[in-house]
Amino acid sequence: MMRRLLLLRHAKSAYPQGVADIDRPLNGRGREAAPLMGAYIAREGLTPDHVMVSPARRTQETWAALRAELPETPMETVPSIYEAAAARILDAIRSAPAEAATLLVIGHNPGLGDLALRLIGEGPKDLQKDLREKFPTAALAVFAFDAEGWEDIAAGGGRLLRFVRPRQLAADMDDD
């Protein structure tokens, strides 16, 4: 069975003084980028069957903006992916519902970017290079896995299909 994994870094956040990291909100750029990415996911037929979101305010706000562009989708807040290392995020992915063919994970760097790099087994070299250089806020990495279940997802087992940054989408809109 083909499994599709979408890794999305939260949109750009603010750093208000005296606010705990977990409570940081999106800033203006983040509030603009998140719906752009949601519209892209919908337009490209990448709509998830299940969503895992870190409990941080900035990831929850990113999901709220994406959700407005997508059909109703089951979502769970997963505390273990907040500022987690790649291995912990992968553990969460492996616990995803079996019936979900497409999974979206909204989390944080450096763990999310590290996981994306670990999962690559094949894919366009230019996308791999872009991903290695930087996994910016609101960027989306899309992988395909030939796996029976999410528990079978392993390092080096993914095919990187897309790596999209919000500035590319904004530029595409400017071209219309």
Side-chain angles (χ1 to χ4, degrees):
M1 178 178 180
M2 188 58 65
R3 301 278 174 175
R4 188 167 51 192
L5 175 64
L6 286 67
L7 298 178
L8 180 76
R9 185 175 173 202
H10 65 79
K12 192 121 184 103
S13 59
Y15 290 87
Q17 197 155 10
V19 172
D21 182 78
I22 198 163
D23 296 323
R24 288 180 21 227
L26 295 183
N27 67 13
R29 247 177 65 199
R31 286 190 300 274
E32 289 174 16
L36 272 180
M37 199 53 76
Y40 173 82
I41 289 169
R43 184 174 65 246
E44 296 295 315
L46 299 171
T47 301
D49 302 308
H50 190 79
V51 182
M52 294 178 158
V53 185
S54 154
R57 180 175 172 186
R58 59 195 178 273
T59 53
Q60 295 286 324
E61 288 182 1
T62 298
W63 167 239
L66 257 70
R67 188 179 65 218
E69 305 291 331
L70 299 170
E72 190 64 33
T73 307
M75 179 279 254
E76 67 177 307
T77 297
V78 182
S80 67
I81 63 176
Y82 171 63
E83 297 208 321
R88 261 182 59 210
I89 300 168
L90 184 56
D91 285 345
I93 290 166
R94 288 177 173 151
S95 73
E99 63 275 8
T102 299
L103 175 67
L104 168 62
V105 177
I106 304 176
H108 310 266
N109 261 3
L112 203 67
D114 291 347
L115 177 60
L117 291 173
R118 286 187 194 180
L119 292 176
I120 297 172
E122 55 185 80
K125 296 294 183 215
D126 59 328
L127 295 184
Q128 291 184 44
K129 179 180 175 288
D130 289 348
L131 187 55
R132 267 193 296 280
E133 283 176 10
K134 186 177 183 187
F135 199 130
T137 52
L140 175 72
V142 180
F143 291 89
F145 294 87
D146 188 15
E148 277 305 307
W150 290 105
E151 66 277 3
D152 301 322
I153 302 301
R159 186 169 62 255
L160 180 63
L161 302 176
R162 303 172 191 222
F163 182 56
V164 182
R165 296 172 294 295
R167 72 167 184 257
Q168 292 170 267
L169 300 180
D172 290 349
M173 286 179 61
D174 293 342
D175 293 343
D176 291 347

Short mmCIF file of all heavy atoms in Angstrom, two decimals, residues 41-92:
data_model
loop_
_atom_site.label_atom_id
_atom_site.label_comp_id
_atom_site.label_asym_id
_atom_site.label_seq_id
_atom_site.Cartn_x
_atom_site.Cartn_y
_atom_site.Cartn_z
N ILE A 41 -2.24 22.54 -0.53
CA ILE A 41 -2.51 21.14 -0.20
C ILE A 41 -3.84 20.70 -0.82
O ILE A 41 -3.93 19.64 -1.43
CB ILE A 41 -2.50 20.93 1.34
CG1 ILE A 41 -1.06 21.06 1.86
CG2 ILE A 41 -3.12 19.60 1.72
CD1 ILE A 41 -0.94 21.14 3.37
N ALA A 42 -4.85 21.54 -0.70
CA ALA A 42 -6.17 21.22 -1.26
C ALA A 42 -6.11 21.16 -2.79
O ALA A 42 -6.59 20.20 -3.40
CB ALA A 42 -7.20 22.25 -0.80
N ARG A 43 -5.52 22.17 -3.40
CA ARG A 43 -5.45 22.28 -4.86
C ARG A 43 -4.69 21.11 -5.49
O ARG A 43 -5.03 20.63 -6.57
CB ARG A 43 -4.79 23.61 -5.22
CG ARG A 43 -4.72 23.94 -6.71
CD ARG A 43 -4.18 25.34 -6.96
NE ARG A 43 -2.79 25.51 -6.54
CZ ARG A 43 -2.38 26.30 -5.55
NH1 ARG A 43 -3.23 27.03 -4.85
NH2 ARG A 43 -1.10 26.39 -5.24
N GLU A 44 -3.65 20.65 -4.80
CA GLU A 44 -2.79 19.59 -5.34
C GLU A 44 -3.27 18.19 -4.98
O GLU A 44 -2.59 17.21 -5.28
CB GLU A 44 -1.35 19.80 -4.85
CG GLU A 44 -0.71 21.08 -5.34
CD GLU A 44 -0.52 21.10 -6.85
OE1 GLU A 44 -0.05 20.08 -7.41
OE2 GLU A 44 -0.86 22.12 -7.48
N GLY A 45 -4.42 18.08 -4.32
CA GLY A 45 -4.95 16.76 -3.97
C GLY A 45 -4.15 16.05 -2.90
O GLY A 45 -4.06 14.82 -2.90
N LEU A 46 -3.55 16.81 -1.99
CA LEU A 46 -2.72 16.24 -0.93
C LEU A 46 -3.46 16.18 0.41
O LEU A 46 -2.84 16.00 1.46
CB LEU A 46 -1.45 17.07 -0.77
CG LEU A 46 -0.53 17.16 -1.98
CD1 LEU A 46 0.57 18.19 -1.75
CD2 LEU A 46 0.05 15.79 -2.32
N THR A 47 -4.77 16.35 0.38
CA THR A 47 -5.56 16.43 1.61
C THR A 47 -5.31 15.21 2.50
O THR A 47 -5.43 14.07 2.06
CB THR A 47 -7.06 16.54 1.27
OG1 THR A 47 -7.24 17.71 0.47
CG2 THR A 47 -7.90 16.66 2.53
N PRO A 48 -4.95 15.46 3.77
CA PRO A 48 -4.67 14.35 4.67
C PRO A 48 -5.94 13.65 5.16
O PRO A 48 -7.01 14.25 5.19
CB PRO A 48 -3.95 15.04 5.85
CG PRO A 48 -4.45 16.44 5.83
CD PRO A 48 -4.72 16.77 4.38
N ASP A 49 -5.76 12.39 5.56
CA ASP A 49 -6.83 11.63 6.19
C ASP A 49 -6.75 11.76 7.71
O ASP A 49 -7.70 11.46 8.42
CB ASP A 49 -6.69 10.14 5.84
CG ASP A 49 -6.71 9.90 4.35
OD1 ASP A 49 -7.64 10.39 3.69
OD2 ASP A 49 -5.80 9.22 3.84
N HIS A 50 -5.58 12.18 8.19
CA HIS A 50 -5.35 12.33 9.63
C HIS A 50 -4.26 13.38 9.81
O HIS A 50 -3.34 13.47 8.99
CB HIS A 50 -4.92 10.99 10.25
CG HIS A 50 -4.91 11.01 11.73
ND1 HIS A 50 -6.06 10.87 12.49
CD2 HIS A 50 -3.89 11.15 12.61
CE1 HIS A 50 -5.74 10.93 13.78
NE2 HIS A 50 -4.44 11.10 13.88
N VAL A 51 -4.35 14.14 10.89
CA VAL A 51 -3.38 15.20 11.17
C VAL A 51 -2.88 15.07 12.60
O VAL A 51 -3.68 14.87 13.53
CB VAL A 51 -4.01 16.60 10.97
CG1 VAL A 51 -2.98 17.71 11.20
CG2 VAL A 51 -4.63 16.73 9.59
N MET A 52 -1.57 15.19 12.78
CA MET A 52 -0.93 15.22 14.10
C MET A 52 -0.29 16.58 14.26
O MET A 52 0.49 17.00 13.40
CB MET A 52 0.13 14.14 14.22
CG MET A 52 -0.39 12.74 14.17
SD MET A 52 0.99 11.55 14.28
CE MET A 52 0.11 10.12 14.86
N VAL A 53 -0.62 17.26 15.37
CA VAL A 53 -0.14 18.61 15.59
C VAL A 53 0.49 18.72 16.98
O VAL A 53 -0.08 18.23 17.97
CB VAL A 53 -1.30 19.64 15.47
CG1 VAL A 53 -0.79 21.06 15.58
CG2 VAL A 53 -2.05 19.45 14.16
N SER A 54 1.62 19.37 17.04
CA SER A 54 2.26 19.68 18.31
C SER A 54 1.30 20.56 19.14
O SER A 54 0.50 21.30 18.58
CB SER A 54 3.57 20.44 18.03
OG SER A 54 3.93 21.26 19.10
N PRO A 55 1.40 20.51 20.46
CA PRO A 55 0.52 21.34 21.29
C PRO A 55 0.88 22.83 21.32
O PRO A 55 0.13 23.63 21.87
CB PRO A 55 0.66 20.72 22.69
CG PRO A 55 2.02 20.11 22.68
CD PRO A 55 2.23 19.62 21.27
N ALA A 56 2.00 23.22 20.73
CA ALA A 56 2.41 24.62 20.76
C ALA A 56 1.37 25.51 20.06
O ALA A 56 0.76 25.10 19.07
CB ALA A 56 3.77 24.80 20.09
N ARG A 57 1.19 26.70 20.58
CA ARG A 57 0.20 27.62 20.01
C ARG A 57 0.47 27.87 18.52
O ARG A 57 -0.45 27.90 17.71
CB ARG A 57 0.21 28.94 20.79
CG ARG A 57 -0.78 29.94 20.26
CD ARG A 57 -0.84 31.18 21.13
NE ARG A 57 -1.66 32.21 20.49
CZ ARG A 57 -1.80 33.42 20.96
NH1 ARG A 57 -1.21 33.77 22.10
NH2 ARG A 57 -2.53 34.30 20.32
N ARG A 58 1.75 28.03 18.14
CA ARG A 58 2.06 28.35 16.75
C ARG A 58 1.72 27.19 15.80
O ARG A 58 1.34 27.43 14.66
CB ARG A 58 3.51 28.79 16.60
CG ARG A 58 4.56 27.79 17.05
CD ARG A 58 5.93 28.47 17.19
NE ARG A 58 6.97 27.59 17.66
CZ ARG A 58 7.24 27.34 18.92
NH1 ARG A 58 6.51 27.89 19.89
NH2 ARG A 58 8.25 26.56 19.26
N THR A 59 1.84 25.94 16.26
CA THR A 59 1.46 24.81 15.40
C THR A 59 -0.06 24.70 15.33
O THR A 59 -0.62 24.40 14.28
CB THR A 59 2.07 23.48 15.88
OG1 THR A 59 1.76 23.30 17.26
CG2 THR A 59 3.57 23.45 15.67
N GLN A 60 -0.72 24.93 16.46
CA GLN A 60 -2.19 24.87 16.49
C GLN A 60 -2.79 25.97 15.60
O GLN A 60 -3.76 25.73 14.89
CB GLN A 60 -2.70 25.01 17.94
CG GLN A 60 -2.29 23.85 18.84
CD GLN A 60 -3.06 22.58 18.57
OE1 GLN A 60 -4.24 22.60 18.25
NE2 GLN A 60 -2.40 21.44 18.71
N GLU A 61 -2.21 27.17 15.64
CA GLU A 61 -2.68 28.26 14.79
C GLU A 61 -2.40 27.96 13.31
O GLU A 61 -3.20 28.31 12.43
CB GLU A 61 -2.05 29.60 15.19
CG GLU A 61 -2.60 30.12 16.51
CD GLU A 61 -2.02 31.47 16.91
OE1 GLU A 61 -1.18 32.04 16.17
OE2 GLU A 61 -2.41 31.97 17.99
N THR A 62 -1.28 27.31 13.04
CA THR A 62 -0.97 26.92 11.65
C THR A 62 -2.04 25.94 11.17
O THR A 62 -2.57 26.09 10.07
CB THR A 62 0.44 26.29 11.57
OG1 THR A 62 1.41 27.26 11.98
CG2 THR A 62 0.76 25.81 10.16
N TRP A 63 -2.37 24.95 12.00
CA TRP A 63 -3.39 23.98 11.61
C TRP A 63 -4.75 24.66 11.41
O TRP A 63 -5.46 24.38 10.45
CB TRP A 63 -3.51 22.84 12.63
CG TRP A 63 -4.74 22.01 12.42
CD1 TRP A 63 -5.74 21.79 13.31
CD2 TRP A 63 -5.12 21.30 11.24
NE1 TRP A 63 -6.71 20.99 12.76
CE2 TRP A 63 -6.35 20.68 11.48
CE3 TRP A 63 -4.54 21.14 9.98
CZ2 TRP A 63 -7.02 19.90 10.53
CZ3 TRP A 63 -5.20 20.37 9.02
CH2 TRP A 63 -6.43 19.77 9.30
N ALA A 64 -5.11 25.60 12.29
CA ALA A 64 -6.40 26.29 12.16
C ALA A 64 -6.49 27.00 10.80
O ALA A 64 -7.53 26.96 10.13
CB ALA A 64 -6.59 27.27 13.30
N ALA A 65 -5.40 27.63 10.38
CA ALA A 65 -5.39 28.34 9.09
C ALA A 65 -5.44 27.36 7.92
O ALA A 65 -6.12 27.61 6.92
CB ALA A 65 -4.15 29.23 8.99
N LEU A 66 -4.75 26.24 8.03
CA LEU A 66 -4.80 25.22 6.97
C LEU A 66 -6.19 24.60 6.89
O LEU A 66 -6.73 24.41 5.81
CB LEU A 66 -3.81 24.08 7.28
CG LEU A 66 -2.51 24.06 6.52
CD1 LEU A 66 -1.62 25.18 6.93
CD2 LEU A 66 -1.82 22.73 6.73
N ARG A 67 -6.74 24.27 8.06
CA ARG A 67 -8.03 23.58 8.14
C ARG A 67 -9.12 24.36 7.43
O ARG A 67 -10.02 23.77 6.83
CB ARG A 67 -8.39 23.36 9.61
CG ARG A 67 -9.61 22.50 9.80
CD ARG A 67 -9.93 22.28 11.26
NE ARG A 67 -10.29 23.56 11.86
CZ ARG A 67 -9.95 23.93 13.08
NH1 ARG A 67 -9.21 23.14 13.83
NH2 ARG A 67 -10.34 25.08 13.56
N ALA A 68 -9.02 25.67 7.47
CA ALA A 68 -10.02 26.51 6.80
C ALA A 68 -10.05 26.27 5.29
O ALA A 68 -11.05 26.54 4.63
CB ALA A 68 -9.74 27.99 7.10
N GLU A 69 -8.95 25.75 4.74
CA GLU A 69 -8.83 25.52 3.30
C GLU A 69 -9.13 24.06 2.91
O GLU A 69 -9.15 23.73 1.73
CB GLU A 69 -7.41 25.86 2.82
CG GLU A 69 -6.95 27.26 3.15
CD GLU A 69 -7.69 28.33 2.38
OE1 GLU A 69 -8.15 28.05 1.25
OE2 GLU A 69 -7.85 29.44 2.91
N LEU A 70 -9.30 23.19 3.91
CA LEU A 70 -9.41 21.75 3.66
C LEU A 70 -10.75 21.20 4.13
O LEU A 70 -11.40 21.79 4.99
CB LEU A 70 -8.29 21.02 4.42
CG LEU A 70 -6.86 21.39 4.04
CD1 LEU A 70 -5.88 20.78 5.03
CD2 LEU A 70 -6.55 20.94 2.63
N PRO A 71 -11.13 20.02 3.61
CA PRO A 71 -12.32 19.37 4.13
C PRO A 71 -12.10 18.93 5.58
O PRO A 71 -10.96 18.89 6.06
CB PRO A 71 -12.51 18.15 3.22
CG PRO A 71 -11.27 18.01 2.44
CD PRO A 71 -10.51 19.28 2.52
N GLU A 72 -13.17 18.60 6.26
CA GLU A 72 -13.09 18.14 7.66
C GLU A 72 -12.12 16.96 7.75
O GLU A 72 -12.22 16.00 6.98
CB GLU A 72 -14.48 17.71 8.13
CG GLU A 72 -14.57 17.46 9.62
CD GLU A 72 -14.32 18.69 10.47
OE1 GLU A 72 -14.67 19.81 10.05
OE2 GLU A 72 -13.75 18.53 11.56
N THR A 73 -11.17 17.05 8.67
CA THR A 73 -10.13 16.03 8.80
C THR A 73 -9.89 15.73 10.28
O THR A 73 -9.77 16.67 11.07
CB THR A 73 -8.80 16.55 8.19
OG1 THR A 73 -9.04 16.98 6.85
CG2 THR A 73 -7.73 15.49 8.18
N PRO A 74 -9.80 14.46 10.66
CA PRO A 74 -9.48 14.14 12.05
C PRO A 74 -8.10 14.66 12.43
O PRO A 74 -7.13 14.48 11.70
CB PRO A 74 -9.49 12.61 12.10
CG PRO A 74 -10.17 12.16 10.86
CD PRO A 74 -10.01 13.25 9.85
N MET A 75 -8.03 15.33 13.58
CA MET A 75 -6.77 15.90 14.07
C MET A 75 -6.56 15.48 15.51
O MET A 75 -7.51 15.39 16.26
CB MET A 75 -6.84 17.43 13.99
CG MET A 75 -5.58 18.14 14.50
SD MET A 75 -5.47 18.32 16.29
CE MET A 75 -5.81 20.04 16.48
N GLU A 76 -5.31 15.22 15.84
CA GLU A 76 -4.97 14.98 17.24
C GLU A 76 -3.78 15.83 17.63
O GLU A 76 -2.85 16.02 16.84
CB GLU A 76 -4.70 13.49 17.52
CG GLU A 76 -3.48 12.92 16.85
CD GLU A 76 -3.22 11.47 17.20
OE1 GLU A 76 -3.16 11.13 18.41
OE2 GLU A 76 -3.07 10.67 16.26
N THR A 77 -3.84 16.36 18.83
CA THR A 77 -2.70 17.08 19.39
C THR A 77 -1.80 16.03 20.02
O THR A 77 -2.25 15.21 20.83
CB THR A 77 -3.18 18.10 20.45
OG1 THR A 77 -4.01 19.06 19.79
CG2 THR A 77 -2.00 18.80 21.10
N VAL A 78 -0.53 16.04 19.60
CA VAL A 78 0.43 15.02 20.04
C VAL A 78 1.57 15.70 20.82
O VAL A 78 2.51 16.23 20.23
CB VAL A 78 0.99 14.23 18.82
CG1 VAL A 78 1.94 13.13 19.27
CG2 VAL A 78 -0.15 13.66 17.99
N PRO A 79 1.46 15.69 22.15
CA PRO A 79 2.47 16.37 22.97
C PRO A 79 3.91 15.92 22.71
O PRO A 79 4.84 16.71 22.79
CB PRO A 79 2.06 16.04 24.41
CG PRO A 79 0.58 15.80 24.31
CD PRO A 79 0.38 15.14 22.96
N SER A 80 4.11 14.66 22.33
CA SER A 80 5.47 14.14 22.16
C SER A 80 6.21 14.76 20.97
O SER A 80 7.42 14.62 20.88
CB SER A 80 5.45 12.62 22.02
OG SER A 80 4.81 12.24 20.82
N ILE A 81 5.50 15.44 20.05
CA ILE A 81 6.22 16.02 18.92
C ILE A 81 6.60 17.49 19.15
O ILE A 81 7.26 18.09 18.31
CB ILE A 81 5.48 15.85 17.57
CG1 ILE A 81 4.14 16.56 17.55
CG2 ILE A 81 5.34 14.38 17.23
CD1 ILE A 81 3.43 16.51 16.20
N TYR A 82 6.23 18.05 20.31
CA TYR A 82 6.63 19.43 20.61
C TYR A 82 8.14 19.46 20.81
O TYR A 82 8.68 18.81 21.70
CB TYR A 82 5.91 19.94 21.85
CG TYR A 82 6.43 21.27 22.34
CD1 TYR A 82 6.33 22.40 21.54
CD2 TYR A 82 7.02 21.39 23.58
CE1 TYR A 82 6.81 23.62 21.98
CE2 TYR A 82 7.51 22.61 24.03
CZ TYR A 82 7.40 23.72 23.22
OH TYR A 82 7.88 24.93 23.65
N GLU A 83 8.81 20.22 19.95
CA GLU A 83 10.27 20.39 20.00
C GLU A 83 11.01 19.06 20.13
O GLU A 83 12.02 18.97 20.82
CB GLU A 83 10.63 21.35 21.11
CG GLU A 83 10.07 22.74 20.86
CD GLU A 83 10.88 23.84 21.47
OE1 GLU A 83 11.38 23.67 22.59
OE2 GLU A 83 11.02 24.88 20.80
N ALA A 84 10.51 18.04 19.46
CA ALA A 84 11.06 16.69 19.58
C ALA A 84 12.17 16.44 18.57
O ALA A 84 12.20 17.04 17.50
CB ALA A 84 9.95 15.67 19.37
N ALA A 85 13.02 15.49 18.92
CA ALA A 85 14.03 15.00 17.99
C ALA A 85 13.35 14.14 16.94
O ALA A 85 12.22 13.68 17.12
CB ALA A 85 15.06 14.16 18.76
N ALA A 86 14.04 13.93 15.83
CA ALA A 86 13.51 13.17 14.70
C ALA A 86 12.96 11.81 15.13
O ALA A 86 11.87 11.41 14.68
CB ALA A 86 14.58 13.01 13.63
N ALA A 87 13.67 11.10 15.98
CA ALA A 87 13.24 9.75 16.38
C ALA A 87 11.90 9.78 17.10
O ALA A 87 11.06 8.89 16.90
CB ALA A 87 14.31 9.10 17.26
N ARG A 88 11.66 10.79 17.93
CA ARG A 88 10.38 10.88 18.65
C ARG A 88 9.25 11.21 17.70
O ARG A 88 8.12 10.73 17.86
CB ARG A 88 10.47 11.92 19.76
CG ARG A 88 10.71 11.23 21.08
CD ARG A 88 10.78 12.07 22.30
NE ARG A 88 9.63 12.87 22.63
CZ ARG A 88 9.73 14.02 23.28
NH1 ARG A 88 10.91 14.50 23.63
NH2 ARG A 88 8.66 14.71 23.58
N ILE A 89 9.51 12.04 16.70
CA ILE A 89 8.47 12.37 15.72
C ILE A 89 8.14 11.11 14.91
O ILE A 89 6.97 10.81 14.66
CB ILE A 89 8.91 13.53 14.80
CG1 ILE A 89 9.20 14.79 15.63
CG2 ILE A 89 7.83 13.82 13.75
CD1 ILE A 89 9.91 15.90 14.86
N LEU A 90 9.17 10.36 14.54
CA LEU A 90 8.95 9.12 13.80
C LEU A 90 8.13 8.13 14.63
O LEU A 90 7.25 7.45 14.11
CB LEU A 90 10.28 8.50 13.36
CG LEU A 90 10.19 7.25 12.49
CD1 LEU A 90 9.35 7.49 11.23
CD2 LEU A 90 11.59 6.79 12.10
N ASP A 91 8.39 8.06 15.93
CA ASP A 91 7.60 7.18 16.81
C ASP A 91 6.12 7.58 16.75
O ASP A 91 5.24 6.71 16.70
CB ASP A 91 8.08 7.26 18.26
CG ASP A 91 9.39 6.51 18.48
OD1 ASP A 91 9.78 5.70 17.61
OD2 ASP A 91 10.01 6.74 19.53
N ALA A 92 5.84 8.88 16.77
CA ALA A 92 4.45 9.35 16.69
C ALA A 92 3.83 8.95 15.36
O ALA A 92 2.69 8.48 15.31
CB ALA A 92 4.39 10.87 16.89
#
